[in-house]
Every structure is written in structure tokens, then in C-alpha cells.
Amino acid sequence: SAVISQKPSRDICQRGTSLTIQCQVDSQVTMMFWYRQQPGQSLTLIATANQGSEATYESGFVIDKFPISRPNLTFSTLTVSNMSPEDSSIYLCSVDLGQGAKAEQFFGPGTRLTVL
Amino acid sequence: QKEVEQDPGPLSVPEGAIVSLNCTYSNSAFQYFMWYRQYSRKGPELLMYTYSSGNKEDGRFTAQVDKSSKYISLFIRDSQPSDSATYLCAMSAAGGFKTIFGAGTRLFVKA
């Protein structure tokens, strides 16, 4: 298993500002994932972050809005830029410790973001 | 049509009841089926994992997969108030495709 921590756990931000969310894993992992979870909706993958390369973004998400850093194998950050109330959501980081094609994801506790 | 459909509930049952949670899906390529449990203000945690069709039992929890009907279920026997949480189904295809999550079903078990 993996122990994943996120900072901050929650924040209330003003429209137009940016927030950087940190994710720390207790073991080295190749890929880290960033998800958004809006009320009543499924987890939506924002991007996959590999150490040493550019993050891969899913359809509907762009690097200018959600820049990601992955400086080493245990840490990643997600920035939510130029925020609007529509960005209010829970943001989760995740790692996959499955073998081969088997997916076995572990999630951090999430960052609850409210944009006013 | 969403790839994975899950009734959001809420589902409220008395303590000791048998709970049935379900998801349907449209992509026949899915081969790995998971159930996650998410307590309030926590991240999802992997509860059950099944490959292809069949049943898998772990204590009070049983996961079933019916690929012919594209239907998966999670049964909870002798439900407890501590089972109150949101349960998300998830599935993925072989070959490293991303995991697709259902919207989650909120379950309340009343003491």
C-alpha cells in the first residue's frame, strides 16, 4: 500500500487567484495522477504526471490552467490557476501500485477547494 | 451515454441488512473491476478487486461481475453503521488504459 498526504486539506480562495496543491507519497512511484471530484459526480482524471517528463492531460484540461510539477518520484504539485467558482471541487492525487495491467490505486485525502 | 453508470442514492438501510450496490457499463473491453469506499472528507480506498467475470468474497463483502450483462455488484452482509460511506465502482481495460469511475452511491446504515 501507499501513504499519501496532501496539502492544504482545504482552502477558500478568491476568484482570479491561484492555488498550488502538494502531494507527497511515502514510496517512490513512477506515475502519479491528479483527479477532480465534484459533488455528485465521478472522479475525473485531470492529468498523469511522470517524473522527468511533461504531464499528460486529459481532454478538457490544459496545462495553462492546471500546471503540474513532478520533481522527484515521491512528490508532485498541481496548481489551479486563475480560479473561478467553477473550480470549486475536491482535488485528489493518486498512485497506482498495481502489477502490469492490474490497476490498484491509492488516493490521498483530497484538497477541498472553494472559490468565491 | 456514460461509460459507467451508478445510482448516486442515497441508500438508507437498517443495521444488519444486506446491501446491494450496482454499476452498469458500456465498454466491453473492461476486464478489471474495483470497488472503492470513501468516507466523508477522505480519499477513496480500494475495497474489492475482481478480474473478468465471477464472484469474489472478502469477509462481509462480495463482488460480482457479469460481463455478459455488463453489470457489476457489491453486496454487504450484516451491514454496520461503520459501513456508511460512498461506494464507487471503477473499471479498466487491459493494456494500461485509464480507470473509469462511477459517480458513487451514498450509503447510510442506521443503528
Side-chain angles (χ1 to χ4, degrees):
Chain A
S1 66
V3 177
I4 304 172
S5 60
Q6 285 185 235
K7 290 181 181 179
S9 59
R10 61 190 308 157
D11 208 341
I12 300 173
C13 300
Q14 295 297 320
R15 180 195 297 263
T17 62
S18 298
L19 175 72
T20 295
I21 302 168
Q22 299 179 6
C23 179
Q24 180 76 50
V25 187
D26 69 343
S27 58
Q28 294 185 338
V29 294
T30 304
M31 291 195 293
M32 295 177 73
F33 306 89
W34 286 98
Y35 286 85
R36 183 171 71 184
Q37 186 177 31
Q38 295 179 310
Q41 298 187 25
S42 60
L43 290 167
T44 302
L45 182 63
I46 298 171
T48 302
N50 290 333
Q51 193 270 334
S53 63
E54 293 284 333
T56 302
Y57 289 82
E58 297 299 309
S59 175
F61 298 96
V62 295
I63 187 171
D64 290 346
K65 175 67 175 178
F66 297 100
I68 288 171
S69 77
R70 184 76 203 276
N72 57 53
L73 292 174
T74 63
F75 187 79
S76 178
T77 67
L78 170 76
T79 298
V80 186
S81 303
N82 188 25
M83 289 183 285
S84 66
E86 292 71 34
D87 295 319
S88 297
S89 186
I90 298 172
Y91 292 86
L92 295 144
C93 70
S94 168
V95 301
D96 187 347
L97 298 185
Q99 297 293 321
K102 174 183 173 181
E104 189 168 354
Q105 290 189 257
F106 294 88
F107 288 85
T111 295
R112 186 177 295 268
L113 171 63
T114 302
V115 183
L116 302 178
Chain B
Q1 181 187 9
K2 293 181 180 178
E3 279 193 285
V4 178
E5 297 276 3
Q6 183 175 12
D7 186 338
L11 179 62
S12 184
V13 301
E15 183 176 359
I18 297 174
V19 176
S20 174
L21 305 167
N22 311 292
C23 288
T24 59
Y25 62 95
S26 58
N27 188 347
S28 58
F30 288 143
Q31 294 188 29
Y32 300 91
F33 303 91
M34 289 74 72
W35 286 94
Y36 286 81
R37 179 175 62 194
Q38 185 174 21
Y39 289 114
S40 179
R41 303 187 185 280
K42 301 286 187 182
E45 57 175 327
L46 183 62
L47 189 62
M48 296 283 287
Y49 175 94
T50 308
Y51 172 71
S52 194
S53 285
N55 295 358
K56 186 172 185 178
E57 188 172 321
D58 184 0
R60 296 184 295 111
F61 299 89
T62 300
Q64 285 187 352
V65 175
D66 182 348
K67 292 190 72 178
S68 62
S69 302
K70 297 189 179 65
Y71 188 87
I72 70 170
S73 301
L74 177 71
F75 297 96
I76 307 174
R77 293 183 298 280
D78 188 24
S79 55
Q80 303 295 310
S82 58
D83 295 327
S84 298
T86 296
Y87 291 80
L88 300 96
C89 62
M91 45 202 80
S92 63
F97 291 98
K98 66 180 181 180
T99 302
I100 306 298
F101 289 84
T105 300
R106 292 191 67 189
L107 171 66
F108 296 95
V109 181
K110 299 172 293 185

